[in-house]
Amino acid sequence: MTPEEYGVLGGTAKVTDAACERFNTVLASARTAGPAAPAGAGTAAHREDGPPVGLLAALALQAGELLLVRAVGRRGMVALHGMQKLRLLRRPRTGGELTSTAAVRSVKALGAGTATEVVVSFADENGNAVAESTSLLVHSPPLSAPLPSPAPAAAAGDPARTTAYGITRELVAAYAAASGDHNPIHLSPEAARSAGFDEVIAHGMLTFALAGRHLADRLGEDRIGELQLRFNRPLAVPAAGAELFITDRTAANGALVLTATDGAGTPVATGRAALLPPPTDRGTHRA
């Protein structure tokens, strides 16, 4: 199919205080170590600042997947997340309703499967553009062998800021409930093995949400203007759990370079974040 043949799918999403608090509670339960959060940080502070970037991205992913299922379905295919980008244009408020518009930007053959780029735009009750999400979704037949591990990323000269998270199967299940992503490869060892994985794998969007949480704890939720991750390999979650380390370093242009690594130091995701100036430096145009 061509991108035009997928059409456009509209929808609405209610960003309630309860949903934001639940989502932040799930993310907070994963933290095991790292730099101290700034004064006033925590679940309540994140909720009052507006919905976390991970929740907005999860809502966008739902809208994009609904568009794909409506158009062609994906039975018998393994769905993996290749890349996720969220750009914030205006800080949405909790308690408000967002309208979404999902469309396919590109479709490319990838072996026996496809790589589909889906763009979802959000607007608030007044029609103001709020955010734009871009997802690269890969659908392929069941894997015959585990994905190879990429070489560890080279260390940069800028001091690293790292937060450690404990990823358990219980946490993955809680994230599935909070985000609405119930893909069985994240929840069932049998489904994961039938798809070609040795263990249950964590949602790529859980890593994305924790990267957003790492930045929000350190800088404040409203400093995140854009967050993008490319998922290098799935994070396996055995019965004993797994470790995930989110690290950011400042690049020469002021953007932040992000790396997510497992307990062995292997990158599972890499990306970047663009920061907004502190609220007092912005004036009133982003009210």
Side-chain angles (χ1 to χ4, degrees):
M1 294 179 65
T2 65
E4 294 75 20
E5 289 176 310
Y6 282 85
V8 175
L9 180 65
T12 60
K14 187 78 171 179
V15 185
T16 65
D17 286 346
C20 294
E21 186 169 2
R22 181 186 185 189
F23 197 88
N24 277 320
T25 298
V26 171
L27 301 186
S29 70
R31 182 166 177 157
T32 61
T43 300
H46 284 290
R47 176 177 56 80
E48 292 166 3
D49 286 342
V53 293
L55 178 55
L56 287 175
L59 293 173
L61 181 62
Q62 287 182 32
E65 290 185 328
L66 281 174
L67 173 62
L68 299 185
V69 169
R70 185 192 69 169
V72 294
R74 298 293 182 182
R75 290 185 179 179
M77 304 291 272
V78 177
L80 293 176
H81 210 142
M83 184 277 294
Q84 178 64 43
K85 175 181 177 181
L86 184 73
R87 183 165 64 100
L88 289 164
L89 307 172
R90 175 185 292 264
R91 188 74 186 151
R93 66 180 181 86
T94 56
E97 186 174 78
L98 300 178
T99 59
S100 64
T101 304
V104 170
R105 177 179 288 168
S106 66
V107 183
K108 297 180 181 179
L110 188 65
T114 58
T116 308
E117 189 178 28
V118 184
V119 178
V120 178
S121 301
F122 286 116
D124 63 19
E125 300 99 320
N126 299 317
N128 298 309
V130 168
E132 182 180 271
S133 165
T134 305
S135 304
L136 181 65
L137 303 175
V138 178
H139 293 83
S140 63
L143 304 175
S144 58
L147 296 178
S149 301
D158 184 65
R161 296 161 291 266
T162 301
T163 307
Y165 297 98
I167 310 299
T168 63
R169 291 182 177 178
E170 291 76 17
L171 173 70
V172 172
Y175 175 81
S179 67
D181 186 344
H182 299 282
N183 188 329
I185 62 176
H186 305 305
L187 303 170
S188 164
E190 293 75 19
R193 283 193 291 270
S194 68
F197 302 104
D198 293 332
E199 302 282 359
V200 164
I201 63 171
H203 302 73
M205 292 295 279
L206 174 56
T207 297
F208 184 92
L210 289 172
R213 178 75 186 209
H214 163 81
L215 295 175
D217 278 344
R218 192 169 74 77
L219 300 165
E221 192 81 53
D222 61 358
R223 292 292 311 280
I224 304 172
E226 182 174 299
L227 177 59
Q228 177 175 343
L229 285 185
R230 180 168 292 278
F231 303 108
N232 304 89
R233 70 189 305 270
L235 176 65
V237 185
E243 293 178 305
L244 180 69
F245 299 90
I246 306 292
T247 297
D248 76 89
R249 295 183 174 91
T250 305
N253 62 359
L256 297 180
V257 178
L258 296 168
T259 307
T261 56
D262 63 16
T266 303
V268 297
T270 54
R272 61 182 179 82
L275 300 180
L276 298 170
T280 55
D281 297 340
R282 295 182 210 161
T284 59
H285 67 285
R286 287 180 56 85

